[in-house]
Amino acid sequence: NESEVLLELDNVVAGYGNLVALHGISLSVRHKEVVALLGANGAGKSTTLRTISGLIKPSAGAIRWKGQGIAGSPPEAILRLGISHCPEERHVWPEMTVEENVELGGYLLNSKVELRRRKEIAFHRFPRLRERARQLAGTLSGGEQQMLAIARALMSEPQLLILDEPSLGLSPRMADEVFDVIREINAHGVSILVVEQNVHKALNVASRAYVLETGEVIAEKDSASLKNDPELLNAYLGG
Ligand code: ATP
C-alpha cells in the first residue's frame, strides 16, 4: 500500500548531554517513498537519523514504525524491524576485506545459506565490489567505499534505508553513480530517507523534502515546488 506511513516522528526532542539538538521534530516516510532531509550544517539532520536508528534516545516525543512505538529501542532491535542506517563518512572497516565488510551487514542472520544468498545479491548489484572482494576496504576509492557502505546496509534487506550524506567527498561523476544506485534500490521497493548537502541531487531523487533549521522543521514540500522556491533555498540551504 503506497500511502501507508512506515515511519513517523512526532515532536521528537533529542540531543547530546545538556545540548538539545532536536526541538520537536515531526516527519513521516511512506511506503516506497524517497524523502530528503535538508538544512545547513548543524541543523540536526544527522541527529535526526541517529535518533531514528536508536543510536540516540529521544527525551520526548514519539517515533512510530508501522504505528508501533520504537523510541528508545536499541539499534539492533530497530535494524531487525527493517530500518538500516548507512552512516556519514562511510565508516567501512579499512583493515578488513570488502567481502568481510559486506558480511558485517548481515550480522543478525543465523543462516550461512541466507548470508551467502544476500552476499550474492550484493555482488550482483555492485559488480565492482565483487571484483575487489578480497581487497582491503581501505584501498577502495571514495566512491567504491560509499557503494560498499550501501551494500553493507542492504544486507539486512531493510524496508527503509537511511542515508547520511551519501555523496560527501565524491567527484560529481561518482556522486551521480551513487544517486543512480539510490534510485535503483528505491525501484525495488525500499523507502529511503536521505540527508544530502547537494540540494539539487537530493530533490531529483526525492519526492518530498523537509527543511531543518536549528533542530526544527521549518518547511515540508514536494520536491517540485521546493525547486521553484528560490527564496527558501537561498535562505536556508545557501542556494
Ligand atoms: P552536519 O551536516 O554539519 O552534520 P547536521 O544537520 O547533521 O549538520 P547534527 O550533526 O545533527 O547537524 O548537529 C546538530 C547539533 O548537535 C549541532 O549543534 C552539533 O554541534 C551537535 N552535535 C552533533 N553531534 C554531536 C555529538 N556527538 N556530541 C555533541 N554535540 C553534537
Side-chain angles (χ1 to χ4, degrees):
N1 181 351
E2 307 268 326
S3 64
E4 182 198 358
V5 173
L6 279 183
L7 177 75
E8 196 178 11
L9 272 64
D10 185 0
N11 258 302
V12 168
V13 178
Y16 306 88
N18 290 327
L19 177 90
V20 180
L22 307 182
H23 301 268
I25 297 281
S26 297
L27 59 82
S28 64
V29 181
R30 295 190 196 93
H31 188 53
K32 293 189 180 173
E33 198 177 26
V34 181
V35 174
L37 269 188
L38 309 173
N41 286 342
K45 306 179 299 291
S46 299
T47 305
T48 301
L49 300 189
R50 290 185 202 124
T51 307
I52 294 166
S53 59
L55 298 169
I56 297 173
K57 288 192 200 315
S59 56
I63 305 177
R64 285 183 284 270
W65 174 249
K66 300 176 184 176
Q68 179 201 341
I70 60 165
S73 298
E76 189 183 307
I78 289 171
L79 182 64
R80 274 186 206 284
L81 287 173
I83 301 175
S84 188
H85 185 176
C86 189
E88 201 171 2
E89 285 159 353
R90 301 184 268 278
H91 291 290
V92 301
W93 297 92
E95 302 296 330
M96 294 173 78
T97 67
V98 168
E99 183 166 7
E100 287 163 346
N101 269 277
V102 171
E103 284 175 355
L104 279 179
Y107 80 100
L108 290 177
L109 297 171
N110 298 317
S111 153
K112 285 230 160 66
V113 175
E114 184 59 17
L115 184 66
R116 259 203 304 278
R117 186 184 74 82
R118 294 195 189 184
K119 225 163 50 177
E120 184 48 40
I121 294 170
F123 285 144
H124 181 75
R125 175 173 274 151
F126 300 99
R128 253 185 304 177
L129 296 181
R130 190 200 296 279
E131 288 165 21
R132 291 157 173 73
R134 313 233 175 274
Q135 208 168 303
L136 294 184
T139 66
L140 298 179
S141 73
E144 289 163 353
Q145 289 189 31
Q146 181 61 60
M147 298 294 189
L148 175 55
I150 293 173
R152 186 181 58 186
L154 289 173
M155 284 291 283
S156 60
E157 297 196 338
Q159 263 183 287
L160 173 65
L161 179 64
I162 293 179
L163 294 163
D164 201 345
E165 306 261 18
S167 79
L168 194 73
L170 303 185
S171 69
R173 194 177 53 85
M174 275 311 310
D176 285 340
E177 272 190 47
V178 166
F179 275 92
D180 287 344
V181 163
I182 292 171
R183 269 187 209 94
E184 188 198 308
I185 293 164
N186 176 245
H188 281 80
V190 179
S191 300
I192 292 172
L193 179 61
V194 59
V195 164
E196 176 56 50
Q197 86 283 9
N198 187 323
V199 172
H200 182 73
K201 286 200 193 325
L203 293 180
N204 276 342
V205 67
S207 56
R208 243 166 12 97
Y210 292 88
V211 180
L212 264 63
E213 193 198 27
T214 55
E216 288 179 78
V217 174
I218 54 146
E220 186 262 311
K221 274 179 185 273
D222 61 85
S223 297
S225 44
L226 191 50
K227 276 185 204 166
N228 293 318
D229 194 337
E231 235 169 89
L232 187 67
L233 292 177
N234 283 322
Y236 297 104
L237 309 168

